[in-house]
Amino acid sequence: MHAIYNFVSGPLAWVAFILFFGGILYQLISRAIMAKKKDAFIYEYWSFYHAFRSILHWIFPFASTNSRNRPVLSVVTFIFHICIFVAPIFLFAHITLINEAFNVSWWFLPDGVADIMTLLVIGACIFFLIRRLTQPDVKFLSNAWDYVLLALVAAPFVTGYWAYHQWPGNQLVTILHMLSAEILLAIIPFTKLNHMFLFFFTRGYMGSEFGAVRFARDW
Amino acid sequence: MNDEAAVDKNKIYDEGIEKGAEKLTPEIIQNVYRKMVDAEGGARLKTYVETCVSCGLCSEACHFYLSNDKDPRFSPAGKVKQTMAVLMKKKGRVSVDFMKRASEIASTECNLCKRCAMYCPFGLDVAYVMLFVRRLCHKLGISPQYIQDTAHSHSVTYNQMWVKEDEWVDSLQWQEEEAQEEIEGLRIPIEKEGADFMYSVIGPEPKFRAQLIYQAAVIFNAAGLNWTMPATPGWDNSDMAMYTGDNEIMARTKRLHFETAMRLKVKRIVMGECGHAFRSIYDMGNRALGWRMPPVEVTHSIEFFYELLKAGKIKIAQKYQPTVTIHDPCNVIRGRGLHEMLRYVVHAICENVEEMHPNREHNFCCAAGGGVINCGPPWKMKRVDGNKVKAQQLFDAKSRGAETCVAPCHNCHGGLEDIIHHNEIGMDLKFLGDIIYEVMEKPESVL
Amino acid sequence: MRKNILFIGVLLGVLSLAAFSAYSQEDIEFVEDSAFTDNMRPLPAFKHDEHNEMAGLECNECHHVYDDDGNLVEDESSEDQECSECHGAEGDEYPMELVRRYHLNCRGCHLSEKAGPVACGECHAKAP
């Protein structure tokens, strides 16, 4: 078990982070080059003011018409996205591990707060799952991958919660926790989870085109 | 897919799609697909198709989805899922039947109105993807017959309706003569170099709606404007090649249009009340030619009437009395943000205005635009039944007193007319020009 | 899977046995340091003598002393001091540096020796 722990917390973590950051860079650069070649007008029409205007309208709940039309989903989605970033990054246990490895640390959340945020993420994932299974249009749009991705997103939070509360199999679950998070990080750039960074470009471009060329709102 | 059979039962026969498909094999499809994606499938296509998280937030943006009992196949992302997503996943290795259905979806179940882009949190542009599918269908020769015929007309005559050069000039002179009986000395100045603007219209105006040219002439003459219309091909600003995905013909057509304006040395192009033509000149045709913005300034009628009314160049004798409601056409509202100017104009010429809801950028499409009405009679009922939400909108406005619907777009007119008749809504449908002509102060002579 | 369940069972048995026996000793039973005024996690159970006997540790491997040049002083140890006296208890709101030192000392050794607990909950186990 030590060998597995060492492997998962060491080399595999490096692989995951390299794939994550490398993947993001690869996707952004390859798309930038492809856009230059085949969609050159993106560069022509891009307007930072209008891009940010649009991004801001879509990042906050109730700032767009569609968001106001679906208050429950808007709130769940907003909380989900905040927690999925804030909880892991500002978790004491994670910062401690990073501090041990790299001697850097930063502000962390009280464990109780992180615990609630984790539950919120898990709850949101369950909400998304139910929505995917019960809403006909979403069900139609979903393929197996959508469910797998949802499970992969939930996995680190479920295992993290499990490990923190020291339920049975805590050591194994700690390893699974690291492993699932590594898988998640590694696939983000190469699946539709890449909306994590592409969102800013798709929304930004639509905002630019609507705002600077069409003189219309896009929210 | 239990209701696949239901779809088959209602299957619509389109000669363009069927005959074209007879010549196809999966190998041809794959070849054409690969070549096209290699050459044109860029970062946008890849991102729009692959990054969609299938959240379904676009569904309720679409009038087809809402009007077909929320059938998921009509949700914008659902249309991508049934077409481009499969093509990309299989790298073009799809059956002929698949492509026939793809052509049907892209050409007759999406108006490219971009309302969904305003409902997608990521701003993914389904209209762009559908247009990509249409272009693939164009390259495969399986575009719906009627719209393909129109594209052929653009290719041969540079106008949408097979109007011959002499017929065009004849039509203008005929309208001029007619209008002279009302206003002495009225002119439709043809080929006047150095005029302030070139007035351009779509092919159907001289063909079916010549009174619109008449009315425009009266308005421009009454306002004492320095204008002209060309005698040569290039007068038509419409563009169905854009909607079949025939970008080459689109570019050729637009280039001639711009060059005609340049030859006449006009300061700008003012165009009639047409939405798709505006999209072609202001958005897509210019891009295809490599122009960031149109090389000649382009003003849509809504904006032009706004200018004339604001400057007091046309005076209103008595405002239009029946209560009107306003239909916001996608290509000039979402496409150019003219909604407030449109309201200024409507309020300036009409006494009572009842808004439709939702309105402005959020207005529901007419289900005729994006070339769908141009796919002709085989698809008519699909589009009329596919827009019950619009009928509902119109009914609502009527229940609040609206008797007339103002729609400053030709395609919208066609679509709304069918919806109004089919649902027996009993509402008049008018262009801005119709009402302005009716309510303005007209001189007896401009000599 | 069955292997895992077996493993978890055995582990649980060992852990609870260890925790139980910890109470029977009057010796050092937990890692404690007065610099941690506000414990975020349960104190790590640590039977000092038993652990060191089993691991065969010299006192100054943990209770080390360094001279001014930063060299380890052989034959000297610092049992009379708390770790926090040298290792960065000052500064931050929370003594992160001290946490780091403890972890590197205990967990670091467990990792390199491939023996002893390494996952968070294994040391910071809640009282059974």
Side-chain angles (χ1 to χ4, degrees), chain A residues 45 47 49-55 201-213 216 218-219, chain B residues 123:
Chain A
Y45 292 133
S47 142
Y49 168 76
H50 293 99
F52 281 118
R53 193 177 71 160
S54 180
I55 287 167
F201 295 90
T202 53
R203 188 78 257 165
Y205 178 69
M206 195 44 83
S208 301
E209 219 184 66
F210 263 75
V213 183
D218 64 331
W219 54 83

Side-chain angles (χ1 to χ4, degrees), chain A residues 118-140:
Chain A
T118 307
L119 280 180
L120 288 173
V121 170
I122 297 168
C125 286
I126 293 169
F127 175 86
F128 293 146
L129 177 67
I130 293 171
R131 188 171 174 272
R132 229 174 241 299
L133 288 170
T134 57
Q135 201 170 305
D137 58 327
V138 188
K139 189 174 182 186
F140 173 80

Side-chain angles (χ1 to χ4, degrees), chain A residues 31 45 66 137 203 214 217, chain B residues 47 59 120 283 292 361:
Chain A
R31 267 162 224 257
Y45 292 133
N66 206 10
D137 58 327
R203 188 78 257 165
R214 307 183 198 281
R217 295 168 303 170
Chain B
T47 308
S59 302
C120 170
D283 183 340
R292 184 180 186 278
E361 290 104 326

Side-chain angles (χ1 to χ4, degrees), chain B residues 21 65 121 172 174 258 260 313 318 354 405 413 420 429 445:
Chain B
Y65 172 82
L172 295 183
W174 163 47
F258 289 134
T260 304
K313 288 197 175 152
Q318 198 209 0
E354 263 307 325
C405 177
H413 255 247
I420 288 170
L429 195 56
S445 165

Side-chain angles (χ1 to χ4, degrees), chain C residues 31-124:
Chain C
V31 179
E32 278 182 283
D33 195 307
S34 63
F36 294 115
T37 49
D38 181 17
N39 286 320
M40 293 189 67
R41 300 290 155 99
L43 292 178
F46 178 63
K47 287 176 288 175
H48 181 267
D49 294 354
E50 200 177 306
H51 174 268
N52 296 349
E53 197 178 317
M54 196 164 78
L57 290 181
E58 295 293 328
C59 300
N60 71 348
E61 286 186 44
C62 295
H63 300 285
H64 44 236
V65 177
Y66 288 88
D67 65 16
D68 291 345
D69 299 328
N71 298 317
L72 183 72
V73 183
E74 304 275 348
D75 310 325
E76 261 189 59
S77 67
S78 51
E79 282 121 63
D80 51 340
Q81 287 173 288
E82 279 196 304
C83 302
S84 58
E85 284 178 41
C86 296
H87 294 301
E90 74 285 333
D92 300 59
E93 279 177 47
Y94 194 80
M96 289 302 280
E97 177 60 14
L98 187 59
V99 176
R100 173 173 137 87
R101 293 297 177 149
Y102 268 112
H103 281 171
L104 286 177
N105 194 55
C106 302
R107 192 166 158 276
C109 185
H110 295 169
L111 283 172
S112 60
E113 296 300 320
K114 297 194 188 341
V118 288
C120 313
E122 290 182 278
C123 290
H124 297 282

